[in-house]
Amino acid sequence: MKAKAAGRPTAHGRQIMDSDRGNIVNFASFRKTRREEEKRADKKRKEETAAAHRVKFGRSGAQKKRAKLEEERRRRELEGKQIQPSGTDTPDGKDGD
């Protein structure tokens, strides 16, 4: 009869452990290996998701700063074009008369 290879994965993701002919087997090493593989897979998946989100949502610091300065310039320009009704205070605090 042919012996199966130790640590061979099955369809359920579990490993088949062959008899080691009475020798002590450390199952913690198998758990540790599986956990490390799961961590690596999770990290890779998270990195791929983060990269996709950076492309989809992200802007560089320079782009954010430029947009902020441009918005401030537009706001100042708009405030300068506002017509002040007579009899009200002007932005510099003096009476408009």
Side-chain angles (χ1 to χ4, degrees):
M1 182 181 243
K2 200 178 217 184
K4 296 178 183 177
R8 187 169 54 95
T10 66
H12 300 291
R14 296 182 181 162
Q15 292 179 342
I16 298 173
M17 299 294 156
D18 289 331
S19 171
D20 201 13
R21 308 237 190 265
N23 293 336
I24 297 173
V25 178
N26 184 0
F27 290 107
S29 65
F30 293 105
R31 284 191 301 267
K32 183 177 180 182
T33 303
R34 189 182 81 216
R35 180 66 182 138
E36 288 172 352
E37 290 171 358
E38 289 173 358
K39 283 183 178 182
R40 268 188 247 116
D42 287 343
K43 185 175 182 180
K44 184 177 179 181
R45 187 173 51 251
K46 286 179 182 180
E47 286 174 356
E48 291 171 355
T49 303
H53 284 180
R54 280 192 296 272
V55 169
K56 188 175 180 181
F57 300 109
R59 293 189 299 165
S60 69
Q63 290 172 327
K64 291 176 186 178
K65 185 175 182 179
R66 181 177 179 175
K68 184 179 178 182
L69 292 173
E70 203 168 300
E71 180 62 30
E72 288 175 7
R73 182 188 58 78
R74 285 189 195 133
R75 185 185 47 79
R76 284 193 310 267
E77 190 176 308
L78 183 62
E79 285 178 0
K81 293 180 180 180
Q82 286 181 338
I83 300 173
Q84 296 292 328
S86 61
T88 61
D89 289 339
T90 58
D92 59 1
K94 297 180 183 175
D95 192 15
D97 290 334

